[in-house]
Amino acid sequence: MPTRKQSDTAIFLCQLLSNLYQPIQIFRYDRNLKTIYIQAGRWDEIALIIDEEGSWEFVL
């Protein structure tokens, strides 16, 4: 299960993407890596990973 910090960050980022009218294509929690992966954008150009501490980064 995601940590509280991960969940809060995921909600924040999903709300931000929604406010920018960017569709969220994939939202996935990886049990092995303990990360949340979000892929968004009209052409899937936005990819984010949220770690257990709630820190997030763009995936290039």
Side-chain angles (χ1 to χ4, degrees):
M1 292 296 294
T3 65
R4 176 67 183 198
K5 289 181 181 181
Q6 272 181 313
S7 298
D8 290 345
T9 301
I11 291 168
F12 169 77
L13 290 172
C14 286
Q15 182 66 48
L16 180 64
L17 289 165
S18 177
N19 288 346
L20 296 171
Y21 300 103
Q22 297 298 317
I24 297 169
Q25 307 295 348
I26 298 171
F27 184 94
R28 181 173 191 269
Y29 177 72
D30 188 317
R31 290 182 183 177
N32 296 327
L33 298 175
K34 297 185 179 178
T35 58
I36 294 175
Y37 176 78
I38 301 172
Q39 188 169 340
R42 291 187 180 104
W43 298 280
D44 297 334
E45 69 274 17
I46 302 167
L48 307 163
I49 291 182
I50 306 168
D51 66 17
E52 288 182 286
E53 300 299 319
S55 298
W56 62 277
E57 62 182 341
F58 287 104
V59 179
L60 300 177

